Amino acid sequence: MLLNNSAIKILVLDDEPFMLKLLARMLTNLGITSVRTCDNGRAALMLVDSPECRPDLILLDINMPQMDGVEFVRHLVEHDYAGAVILVSGEDERVVQSVEKLVRAHKIKVLGRLSKPVSPERLAAVLERWRAPLPGAVSSTRISYSADQLRAAMVRGELLNYYQPKVTLASGEVVGVETLVRWRHPKDGMVSPDQFIGIAERHGLIDQLTEVVLTGALAQARAWRDAGLSLRVAVNLSMDNLVALSFLDYVVDLTSKAGVPPQELVLEVTESRLMLDQRVPLEILTRLHLKRFRLSIDDFGTGNSSLAQLRDIPFDELKIDQSFVHGAWGNERQRAMFDASLGLAKQLKMESVAEGVEDRADWNFVSQRGCDLAQGYFIAEPMPAEDLPAWLADWEERRAQLAPHK
Ligand code: C2E
Ligand code: MG
Ligand code: MG
């Protein structure tokens, strides 16, 4: 089998010369033309630094005598590596899982894991997941921005909304979209929200940012409504938006001026840092609920979204964090946590959403478990509003083949 992405530049890093030869041969047989090998981390980092040789993908042996795989990944971050890795190891599954967590925590994409001895079929299957970054894709290089740069970007209108569909698992019906902000940076390309939301929160810019996102999302919701498309539109709120009661009137006012019924606006909340005084956020959220806005608890199950919030705030929707969803079908621990979260949602009569549904196996799993809605790359990546009609047409065809999995 020849891969369609044969132009990819791959680096194999392993301390055993035999493994290097073997993996390089397998890759060549798969039609990959640019394969380099290194037997130590130091040499590999030099390639990462060289503009011509910089790999798109690294096959990384976790166990190496000098610089081990985990340490190597830490250096990759310092060297602004923007590619992906495949973890190769003879260790048992639990260890590799922990390493994978660590790598993902560094925001480096893990394409998959291969256990030694590596079979060509398995290698090909993991490589199939590689996709070249699209021109509009979020850049994966991390750059630190200052508050002034972000402020200027907002003034210049460089923030724009992308939308990611949420669909029912029972029939594939599209019930809504989540608004995800991006910064179209004139030089750095698309910058992901993880790189600037924190700055906005720390420098008192989050209200201004939310205003830009919410205004855009409401205008878009109205436009879809006028075009006969009934879609709930979700917007992410930061806890820092909920520190003054004036925020409540502001949201109510903006929504009514846009001509969008409150039931069609979903407010997704995570606790990005510990709130000392819970009274004001609690009051704002409770009153928004009374006014029929839909409240959603985001990233449920992570440290930031807790049972206490669930106890105190009248949420309508529970989003199970992607770390309990993607791959849960093959992992007992993840599955236990997924089931527990879903059980809570059901008992509390909340709508459940599985985040991070990345492939057919994830879809089948969350569907079988009786989750209500799904969101993730398997369904669609976040997209500009103008791409939605074409995606909808395409989805109509795909969803027919996704009949509920028995
Ligand atoms: P979130 O609200 O949990 O949004 C889901 C994130 O998961 C998005 O990342 C989305 O692109 C990504 N995602 C979607 N499907 C998949 C999948 O199948 N697999 C994987 N691995 N990821 C998937 P994004 O757009 O980078 O946003 C990151 C976070 O930034 C959001 O997490 C949200 O907490 C925050 N954010 C985004 N927009 C805003 C905003 O307007 N205001 C605030 N306060 N926060 C925002
Ligand atoms: Mg969200
Ligand atoms: Mg989330």
Side-chain angles (χ1 to χ4, degrees):
M1 171 184 43
L2 284 190
L3 292 169
N4 51 9
N5 41 38
S6 51
I8 179 178
K9 283 191 254 173
I10 300 188
L11 169 68
V12 187
L13 173 56
D14 198 305
D15 60 301
E16 287 176 57
F18 170 73
M19 273 307 284
L20 289 179
K21 272 209 192 104
L22 188 74
L23 287 171
R25 174 142 2 109
M26 282 185 196
L27 289 166
T28 313
N29 289 345
L30 287 167
I32 311 254
T33 47
S34 171
V35 182
R36 285 181 165 254
T37 59
C38 284
D39 64 3
N40 69 83
R42 214 168 277 283
L45 287 173
M46 275 163 55
L47 290 180
V48 168
D49 281 339
S50 125
E52 307 86 62
C53 306
R54 182 167 261 234
D56 305 303
L57 176 65
I58 302 177
L59 266 66
L60 172 63
D61 178 25
I62 299 179
N63 298 85
M64 291 181 292
Q66 286 141 4
M67 190 191 295
D68 64 51
V70 174
E71 191 188 351
F72 176 73
V73 166
R74 185 153 41 74
H75 290 302
L76 274 183
V77 178
E78 290 158 8
H79 289 245
D80 289 330
Y81 178 62
V85 301
I86 294 177
L87 300 174
V88 186
S89 168
E91 294 288 325
D92 78 51
E93 188 66 1
R94 287 234 339 256
V95 178
V96 190
Q97 272 173 27
S98 304
V99 174
E100 179 172 348
K101 269 238 159 60
L102 268 167
V103 180
R104 285 190 197 272
H106 283 304
K107 304 265 187 269
I108 289 191
K109 189 173 167 60
V110 181
L111 216 54
R113 305 192 289 252
L114 294 172
S115 48
K116 292 181 181 178
V118 175
S119 79
E121 294 75 27
R122 176 90 186 112
L123 176 64
V126 174
L127 278 178
E128 277 290 327
R129 296 186 199 143
W130 194 83
R131 277 177 296 176
L134 299 167
V138 165
S139 102
S140 36
T141 323
R142 284 197 82 80
I143 301 169
S144 329
Y145 298 99
S146 70
D148 284 341
Q149 285 174 307
L150 180 58
R151 199 177 286 118
M154 288 197 271
V155 173
R156 286 196 297 262
E158 287 169 12
L159 295 197
L160 70 157
N161 288 350
Y162 269 39
Y163 299 93
Q164 188 181 35
K166 292 182 183 175
V167 305
T168 68
L169 281 149
S171 67
E173 187 195 345
V174 184
V175 291
V177 293
E178 173 176 6
T179 312
L180 294 158
V181 67
R182 269 98 184 85
W183 175 357
R184 185 163 42 196
H185 193 283
K187 284 210 295 289
D188 304 337
M190 282 296 180
V191 180
S192 95
D194 288 332
Q195 276 171 269
F196 59 86
I197 296 291
I199 299 168
E201 286 174 344
R202 285 191 297 277
H203 293 89
L205 297 173
I206 193 69
D207 278 338
Q208 197 185 336
L209 185 143
T210 302
E211 177 175 353
V212 171
V213 174
L214 190 57
T215 309
L218 284 168
Q220 191 55 58
R222 178 59 198 254
W224 280 323
R225 216 178 138 71
D226 291 346
L229 258 180
S230 140
L231 289 175
R232 282 188 214 143
V233 176
V235 170
N236 290 284
L237 295 185
S238 156
M239 275 310 238
D240 294 278
N241 291 131
L242 306 177
V243 292
L245 286 173
S246 53
F247 184 75
L248 171 88
D249 301 320
Y250 173 73
V251 172
V252 173
D253 207 43
L254 213 59
T255 312
S256 106
K257 280 200 184 116
V260 175
Q263 302 85 292
E264 290 181 16
L265 183 65
V266 183
L267 300 166
E268 297 193 5
V269 191
T270 33
E271 201 172 357
S272 46
R273 59 172 118 149
L274 204 64
M275 297 296 289
L276 292 177
D277 187 351
Q278 292 277 356
R279 281 172 301 178
V280 176
L282 192 62
E283 174 170 343
I284 296 177
L285 292 173
T286 307
R287 288 172 56 198
L288 283 169
H289 175 82
L290 289 170
K291 292 179 192 303
R292 303 288 177 260
F293 289 88
R294 284 182 70 82
L295 302 183
S296 168
I297 183 165
D298 205 350
D299 304 335
F300 184 74
T302 65
N304 300 328
S305 280
S306 61
L307 289 174
Q309 284 193 324
L310 207 53
R311 177 194 63 203
D312 297 334
I313 302 169
F315 287 107
D316 303 279
E317 175 183 283
L318 182 148
K319 297 187 81 174
I320 306 175
D321 190 68
Q322 44 183 266
S323 62
F324 305 121
V325 173
H326 173 55
W329 54 270
N331 180 310
E332 203 178 330
R333 281 165 179 256
Q334 263 175 290
R335 208 157 51 225
M337 287 160 206
F338 178 88
D339 287 342
S341 308
L342 183 61
L344 267 170
K346 288 199 182 300
Q347 282 186 44
L348 297 175
K349 307 218 167 18
M350 296 162 66
E351 193 155 52
S352 48
V353 185
E355 300 190 290
V357 173
E358 286 193 11
D359 49 37
R360 180 69 196 246
D362 291 342
W363 171 279
N364 288 349
F365 169 74
V366 298
S367 163
Q368 261 173 351
R369 291 311 224 229
C371 191
D372 299 314
L373 305 179
Q375 181 180 347
Y377 299 157
F378 178 66
I379 301 132
E381 298 202 7
M383 63 187 99
E386 60 267 26
D387 291 355
L388 197 84
W391 174 81
L392 277 171
D394 191 50
W395 177 248
E396 274 313 306
E397 296 197 355
R398 275 180 70 205
R399 79 182 250 210
Q401 290 144 31
L402 286 172
H405 191 84
K406 292 282 170 283

